Amino acid sequence: MFIFKLIWNLLAVLGILTVTALGVLVYVWFTQPFLQAVFQPSMIWSDQEVPAETDSNPALSAEQEAILRSSGVDPASLPSEITPEMEVCFEEKLGAERYAEIKAGSEPTVTDFFKAQSCLS
């Protein structure tokens, strides 16, 4: 009889922990749009082109705009030209090496955007 109570209690605790963990994961999924962009299968494994939407920002490619939109950022709110003050801030936030790569033509990633987001205000 003692064994059955022990097993029942163990199953109850595991059930409560499982439900709690699932609740936390659902909460984080819906409150963090960046996670949805990172784990969105259509953006990772799809061979299809990114759907063409209106060009909200001439400084960004259509793919960059789509990634920003899926991360909860409106590309139209970003500046289309970079000021000298912004360049100094970008170099501080991204590091001299990464900043030089981007300036030489490497496309900025979402991580670069979130690191340098404060420079855009």
Side-chain angles (χ1 to χ4, degrees):
M1 191 65 167
F2 175 73
I3 291 286
F4 292 118
K5 283 186 178 181
L6 182 63
I7 291 173
W8 181 255
N9 288 340
L10 180 63
L11 289 175
V13 168
L14 288 175
I16 291 170
L17 289 174
T18 301
V19 169
T20 303
L22 286 174
V24 167
L25 288 174
V26 167
Y27 173 77
V28 168
W29 178 261
F30 285 109
T31 59
Q32 301 298 323
F34 176 70
L35 292 177
Q36 294 173 6
V38 170
F39 295 111
Q40 185 178 13
S42 64
M43 293 298 288
I44 298 172
W45 293 292
S46 175
D47 291 335
Q48 300 174 2
E49 291 291 320
V50 175
E53 294 187 25
T54 58
D55 189 17
S56 303
N57 192 321
L60 300 172
S61 69
E63 184 179 25
Q64 288 173 325
E65 286 188 18
I67 291 170
L68 287 172
R69 275 191 195 91
S70 67
S71 300
V73 177
D74 180 18
S77 68
L78 301 176
S80 57
E81 294 184 16
I82 306 299
T83 65
E85 294 83 15
M86 288 179 179
E87 287 188 18
V88 171
C89 183
F90 290 147
E91 190 169 359
E92 289 174 6
K93 298 288 183 181
L94 299 174
E97 183 178 328
R98 180 63 184 142
Y99 175 71
E101 289 173 2
I102 292 171
K103 202 165 181 181
S106 175
E107 288 200 14
T109 63
V110 174
T111 305
D112 294 331
F113 168 76
F114 284 109
K115 283 181 180 177
Q117 188 174 11
S118 63
C119 300
L120 300 172
S121 307

